[in-house]
Amino acid sequence: MPSRSTIEVIKGDNNQNNLAYCLVVVILLAVDANPIKVIATSIGIPARWFAYPCLAMLVHLFLTHSQEFLYDGVRVFFRSILSIFFRQIDIVGIDNIPKHGPIIFSGNHSNQFVDGLMVLTTAQHRVGFLIAEKSYKHPVVGTFAKLAGAVPVTRPQDSARPMQGTIVIHGRHVEGQGTVFLRDLVPGDKVRIKGQADQYKVETVASDESLTLSEDGPLPPAQATAASAFEKLAKVDQSRVYNAVFEHLKQGRCIGIFPEGGSHDRTDLLPLKMGIALIALGMVEKYNITVPIVPVGLNYFRGHRFRGRVVVEFGPPIRVPEDLIEMYRSNRREAYQRLMAEVEDGMRATLVTAPDYHALHLVYTARRLFQKDNWIPSPGEKMDLNRRFAEGYKILMNKYGDERPAALNELERRLNDYQKTLHRLGLRDYQVPTLREDDSLRLCYTIAHLFLVFTLAMLPSLVLNAPVGVIARFVSSREQKKALAASRVKIEARDVIMSKKITLSIVLVPTLWIVYAVLLLRFTSLPPSTVAVLFFSCPIFSYLGVMATEAGILDAKDLKPVLLRLLPGARKKMATLPAERTLLQHDLRAYIHEIGPELGSLYTDKTVKWEEYIRKSSSATDLQSLLPSGSPNGKDGRAETEDTRGERNGHASSLSFTSPALAQAVNGRGTPSPLTFKPDEQFSKKDA
């Protein structure tokens, strides 16, 4: 039985040999500067004697490595597609991916098919994803999934159907009213209360109106539920799927899994399914191969909208330790749960999670105000700072609950008001420091640039992009409503929008080009060669139209606040907004310094090992146990209010940042240095 290291060496050698093979064949078939042709001509041998064997070599190469060629073609195709639909795709932690397979990639699932495309196009390896069988049969998605070597999986929720009668759950015992359990259910099936997401596995069926739930799954609510309609999720035999995955990994290849089981648009992870633990530990048992699990965080910013942004973060690989393997031999269930806990912690360490969207927007606003305006953080630095704020927010909410200090409530209110003001005036935070009294020259430049850009973009966008865009927007909106009605976990079903737009565009865009080509051939006197040139030029002009339109939209966003300045009320508010932002920025930084020591490593450490921090926070029964024992709270253990700060510091005293990590975020790059703030001083315009 080959060991993992042997597989890696064989795989690496094969890739190098295939590359050399291709280069030799291409050189032999080259039209110009072909050394074989020169030699053949000089000695009087027909060049085709060499060309035919070389052609046979190419055919043989394609036939024996067709899967690799098709996968690479799919990857190149979707890289170009994603570069159109997303204005920026940042990759963080690429060095965390092992150089050789096999590897299991475990990602969060918040943008349907786009999630798989993101991993497929950014990972260094060829990744075959586990995909729902109904998606595998989709005419567009399924075709590309087959080309990329995906493995279809039958999910229990895809076969959910309503059952007769109602049920009442008392712990693990289920009582039915008007039910026929003996006819409808067998051990291994799952039941789900209608309108809820949790699924409960059936252990035994005692009678038509009585059954027991298995302990192998989520725990139902402790209190008895009201009589509720319920659904059956039939037991699915996944042995064929697991065997296919084991064989895939045994050959040194990689697989991708979204262990949440389904796509959603929540701000945190859904409960993870056990499949990834069954695969990782099953490989050890069956082939004695330890497969690392690489967590993948897909962090979308307006990811459901055209030209959004995404950060793909790869976390440190999770390896199955020896003690867990020993535990697996004696207690599989506990081993599965422990490994899944590590996977969940690893995934959270690559994400920015929050209780809800309001909290998430608050975190992003606070982070933008906290960092210095002229500091442009790298994607990794920005994600690190976002996580510090998100985790700090959770600690504060857990510590204070509804009895938060007045200073924290006031700061949150001001941040919310600032967000609402920006939205009302059509501004972005980065635009506020640039607001000036006299914008006449800026207005003229913006209008001229906007007119030029839209003029250049008008023809290709209207002809090549607009028809597809209108149809895609209409259809995706309709699918969003259908998905929301059918889902138990989605909030607004925004996760289906971008995937639907991409799948529609893949079909409609080339169809539109073909229609134009047929019309030109039918109703014009253009020769076929000219029509062919125009047809193959469509992708170029379509892409240029997208880029020009985006530039025009950015100009339009800059133009809106300038035009609003013509209104007296908006002009008055904009005149005071930069100073308000500066004061809010100052107070936010001062408050963070004040409570910083209470946040422990989030505040004091220059580098946070997020996988370790998340592991500690998830195992802690109370988030306050993460805080240092000597954190400077008030006498009652709570953070000081504004009054007690005044008593301790004095109204004219200064506040100093001593945290290297946070000081660096405010100062920018380079050696961290302390900052000194005076609460009753305004920042200078240079510091704002």
Side-chain angles (χ1 to χ4, degrees):
M1 181 182 302
S3 65
R4 180 186 167 204
S5 58
T6 304
I7 292 176
E8 292 174 355
V9 172
I10 294 174
K11 184 174 177 62
D13 290 343
N14 284 340
N15 289 338
Q16 294 176 1
N17 292 338
N18 292 339
L19 179 60
Y21 197 7
C22 287
L23 290 175
V24 170
V25 172
V26 169
I27 291 175
L28 294 179
L29 287 176
V31 175
D32 300 321
N34 188 337
I36 300 299
K37 183 183 292 186
V38 174
I39 295 174
T41 303
S42 63
I43 62 178
I45 299 177
R48 63 178 180 273
W49 287 12
F50 296 95
Y52 292 150
C54 290
L55 181 60
M57 291 169 63
L58 275 180
V59 172
H60 175 265
L61 184 64
F62 179 80
L63 293 177
T64 55
H65 298 86
S66 58
Q67 185 63 47
E68 288 83 354
F69 286 129
L70 291 173
Y71 184 95
D72 290 340
V74 169
R75 178 153 53 184
V76 170
F77 174 75
F78 279 113
R79 275 179 180 169
S80 63
I81 293 294
L82 294 178
S83 69
I84 294 174
F85 281 85
F86 290 88
R87 65 178 175 84
Q88 188 174 349
I89 300 175
D90 295 316
I91 305 175
V92 177
I94 193 70
D95 293 336
N96 287 325
I97 304 177
K99 298 301 181 183
H100 304 286
I103 303 168
I104 300 173
F105 290 90
S106 175
N108 60 302
H109 209 1
S110 56
N111 215 345
Q112 232 180 33
F113 308 130
V114 178
D115 296 332
L117 299 182
M118 284 295 173
V119 180
L120 183 146
T121 56
T122 57
Q124 298 172 325
H125 302 270
R126 297 185 178 97
V127 185
F129 282 91
L130 300 187
I131 182 173
E133 190 171 30
K134 69 174 186 178
S135 300
Y136 196 76
K137 296 177 180 178
H138 190 279
V140 178
V141 176
T143 300
F144 286 103
K146 295 179 180 69
L147 294 177
V151 179
V153 177
T154 302
R155 303 183 304 177
Q157 58 263 40
D158 294 336
S159 62
R161 61 188 182 91
M163 292 284 100
Q164 176 181 322
T166 59
I167 59 174
V168 179
I169 301 178
H170 302 274
R172 296 288 180 187
H173 180 66
V174 178
E175 295 179 0
Q177 299 176 4
T179 55
V180 192
F181 290 156
L182 292 175
R183 181 195 68 186
D184 294 338
L185 298 171
V186 297
D189 287 344
K190 294 182 179 180
V191 295
R192 178 173 65 187
I193 295 176
K194 190 173 182 180
Q196 296 186 10
D198 288 336
Q199 307 167 12
Y200 308 121
K201 186 177 180 181
V202 177
E203 179 74 23
T204 59
V205 180
S207 67
D208 281 337
E209 295 184 343
S210 177
L211 62 82
T212 303
L213 299 177
S214 171
E215 296 182 359
D216 184 15
L219 182 68
Q223 69 277 15
T225 65
S228 306
F230 70 105
E231 299 172 319
K232 168 189 173 180
L233 289 73
K235 179 181 179 181
V236 177
D237 182 10
Q238 300 287 18
S239 58
R240 178 185 60 84
V241 175
Y242 284 117
N243 288 333
V245 171
F246 290 152
E247 187 63 28
H248 195 91
L249 293 171
K250 178 187 174 184
Q251 296 175 9
R253 293 185 283 179
C254 307
I255 63 168
I257 301 178
F258 297 108
E260 293 172 283
S263 179
H264 63 94
D265 56 346
R266 293 180 177 267
T267 56
D268 204 344
L269 292 172
L270 295 179
L272 304 186
K273 311 297 183 185
M274 287 286 186
I276 193 169
L278 269 66
I279 292 172
L281 291 171
M283 283 296 294
V284 176
E285 178 185 40
K286 193 169 184 177
Y287 296 111
N288 196 29
I289 298 176
T290 301
V291 182
I293 302 170
V294 175
V296 185
L298 301 169
N299 300 271
Y300 294 95
F301 302 88
R302 300 169 67 87
H304 62 290
R305 296 193 178 183
F306 188 70
R307 303 301 289 171
R309 186 172 69 88
V310 59
V311 177
V312 183
E313 182 167 354
F314 297 96
I318 300 168
R319 303 183 186 276
V320 182
E322 289 296 331
D323 63 324
L324 185 60
I325 296 174
E326 291 298 324
M327 179 188 295
Y328 174 74
R329 295 190 178 103
S330 59
N331 191 334
R332 294 195 175 192
R333 182 184 174 192
E334 187 176 349
Y336 290 149
Q337 291 176 340
R338 177 179 157 186
L339 182 57
M340 289 309 303
E342 292 192 23
V343 171
E344 182 174 352
D345 292 342
M347 292 174 64
R348 288 186 184 278
T350 63
L351 298 168
V352 179
T353 61
D356 50 48
Y357 277 105
H358 170 76
L360 194 61
H361 292 158
L362 195 68
V363 164
Y364 291 149
T365 301
R367 190 268 303 166
R368 285 193 298 269
L369 289 171
F370 180 79
Q371 71 184 50
K372 197 168 183 178
D373 295 330
N374 59 3
W375 177 48
I376 303 178
S378 68
E381 292 169 332
K382 188 180 295 184
M383 290 297 295
D384 178 81
L385 200 53
N386 282 337
R387 267 194 291 271
R388 289 176 189 258
F389 273 88
E391 296 304 316
Y393 178 87
K394 294 174 189 175
I395 289 177
L396 293 177
M397 294 304 101
N398 177 269
K399 179 177 182 179
Y400 297 121
D402 296 332
E403 300 179 1
R404 293 182 293 178
L408 180 58
N409 283 331
E410 177 64 14
L411 186 60
E412 182 174 352
R413 182 194 63 78
R414 292 172 62 189
L415 288 170
N416 288 330
D417 290 345
Y418 179 69
Q419 286 179 317
K420 294 176 182 177
T421 300
L422 294 182
H423 181 72
R424 185 173 68 252
L425 297 176
L427 288 169
R428 298 289 185 270
D429 178 68
Y430 72 86
Q431 295 173 310
V432 175
T434 65
L435 293 176
R436 295 184 293 271
E437 289 294 333
D438 184 12
D439 282 314
S440 55
L441 292 177
R442 182 184 176 193
L443 176 61
C444 293
Y445 169 79
T446 302
I447 293 176
H449 190 267
L450 180 64
F451 176 78
L452 176 62
V453 168
F454 270 125
T455 301
L456 295 175
M458 184 177 297
L459 183 60
S461 294
L462 287 178
V463 175
L464 299 176
N465 301 332
V468 175
V470 170
I471 296 174
R473 184 166 186 173
F474 171 77
V475 175
S476 62
S477 178
R478 186 182 63 184
E479 291 296 320
Q480 179 187 10
K481 295 176 182 177
K482 289 172 55 179
L484 184 61
S487 175
R488 308 299 191 275
V489 297
K490 300 182 191 297
I491 300 176
E492 296 180 8
R494 293 187 293 182
D495 56 308
V496 307
I497 296 176
M498 183 55 68
S499 293
K500 182 57 63 175
K501 288 181 178 178
I502 289 179
T503 53
L504 283 172
S505 298
I506 290 174
V507 175
L508 295 181
V509 169
T511 301
L512 183 64
W513 298 344
I514 293 172
V515 169
Y516 285 152
V518 172
L519 292 177
L520 288 176
L521 289 173
R522 179 69 177 82
F523 297 105
T524 69
S525 57
L526 293 175
S529 58
T530 303
V531 173
V533 171
L534 292 175
F535 176 80
F536 288 109
S537 300
C538 284
I540 299 174
F541 288 112
S542 179
Y543 184 75
L544 293 176
V546 169
M547 297 298 103
T549 301
E550 181 186 12
I553 292 174
L554 292 176
D555 277 345
K557 290 179 180 179
D558 289 337
L559 183 62
K560 181 178 179 179
V562 175
L563 294 177
L564 283 176
R565 290 179 70 89
L566 301 176
L567 302 177
R571 181 170 65 251
K572 182 179 179 180
K573 185 62 180 177
M574 287 185 180
T576 61
L577 195 57
E580 291 179 10
R581 181 186 187 276
T582 299
L583 182 60
L584 178 58
Q585 190 176 44
H586 163 264
D587 291 344
L588 172 69
R589 292 174 175 176
Y591 185 78
I592 291 175
H593 163 70
E594 186 70 21
I595 67 168
E598 300 179 40
L599 302 180
S601 60
L602 295 177
Y603 177 79
T604 58
D605 292 357
K606 181 177 180 181
T607 302
V608 176
K609 293 184 178 180
W610 285 108
E611 62 279 5
E612 295 181 6
Y613 178 89
I614 297 296
R615 187 179 303 117
K616 291 179 182 178
S617 65
S618 63
S619 61
T621 56
D622 187 345
L623 287 178
Q624 293 186 57
S625 62
L626 295 173
L627 305 181
S629 57
S631 58
N633 298 340
K635 294 180 180 179
D636 61 351
R638 296 182 181 275
E640 299 169 332
T641 63
E642 290 178 334
D643 293 337
T644 57
R645 282 201 300 271
E647 293 174 1
R648 183 171 65 85
N649 294 321
H651 292 292
S653 63
S654 63
L655 299 174
S656 301
F657 273 101
T658 56
S659 163
L662 297 187
Q664 184 179 15
V666 177
N667 281 331
R669 299 178 184 275
T671 304
S673 60
L675 289 180
T676 301
F677 294 150
K678 294 183 179 180
D680 54 330
E681 285 186 358
Q682 292 285 340
F683 285 166
S684 66
K685 185 175 181 180
K686 179 180 179 182
D687 292 331

